[in-house]
Amino acid sequence: MLTALRAAAGCSHVAGTTRWCVAGCWCTDGHRLAKDLAATLMAIEEVPDIPMFRRNTAAFVHELPAGALSNVDGASDYVRVQVLTNAGALDRDKQMAVVSRFTGIIAEAADDPTLADRT
């Protein structure tokens, strides 16, 4: 989906976040969560707050059907987050900031502080 967005937008900067979890295990406002994650990524990347970056930094929230997500032990009560950016956009400090801030945002959206241990 990000490749299609890059081609459609015709620009070299596309940053995106994709988040998966099993249905019913998290927040009720996926749109707000997507918007918050995209804005946070843009802030961490320190790109200018201009339309080109605002339109090409996106988050995708995917709620999976029960049974579609599992770790080796069979647990499915956690969240998977994938962040895609252009090469060099996030140095190690920025990568750590993404992990920390996204974990907090997702746990808060789910109203479940224990989710931070499973994100």
Side-chain angles (χ1 to χ4, degrees):
M1 189 174 292
L2 289 175
T3 302
L5 179 60
R6 176 177 289 149
C11 75
S12 61
H13 172 85
V14 175
T17 302
T18 305
R19 179 209 179 280
W20 293 268
C21 96
V22 174
C25 78
W26 62 290
C27 76
T28 58
D29 192 350
H31 184 263
R32 167 92 188 234
L33 176 60
K35 185 176 179 183
D36 290 349
L37 292 172
T40 299
L41 181 60
M42 203 171 122
I44 292 170
E45 282 186 301
E46 298 177 325
V47 296
D49 188 6
I50 60 174
M52 182 186 80
F53 291 111
R54 296 182 65 79
R55 292 180 186 138
N56 290 292
T57 303
F60 305 91
V61 177
H62 302 277
E63 191 172 46
L64 301 174
L69 178 70
S70 179
N71 65 16
V72 174
D73 293 332
S76 60
D77 62 342
Y78 62 97
V79 174
R80 179 181 186 274
V81 177
Q82 178 181 21
V83 178
L84 304 171
T85 65
N86 56 313
L90 300 174
D91 61 22
R92 187 65 180 154
D93 289 338
K94 289 179 180 179
Q95 291 171 6
M96 297 302 291
V98 167
V99 171
S100 174
R101 291 178 59 191
F102 277 22
T103 299
I105 289 168
I106 291 166
E108 183 178 322
D111 196 25
D112 180 1
T114 68
L115 190 57
D117 297 330
R118 303 186 308 274
T119 300

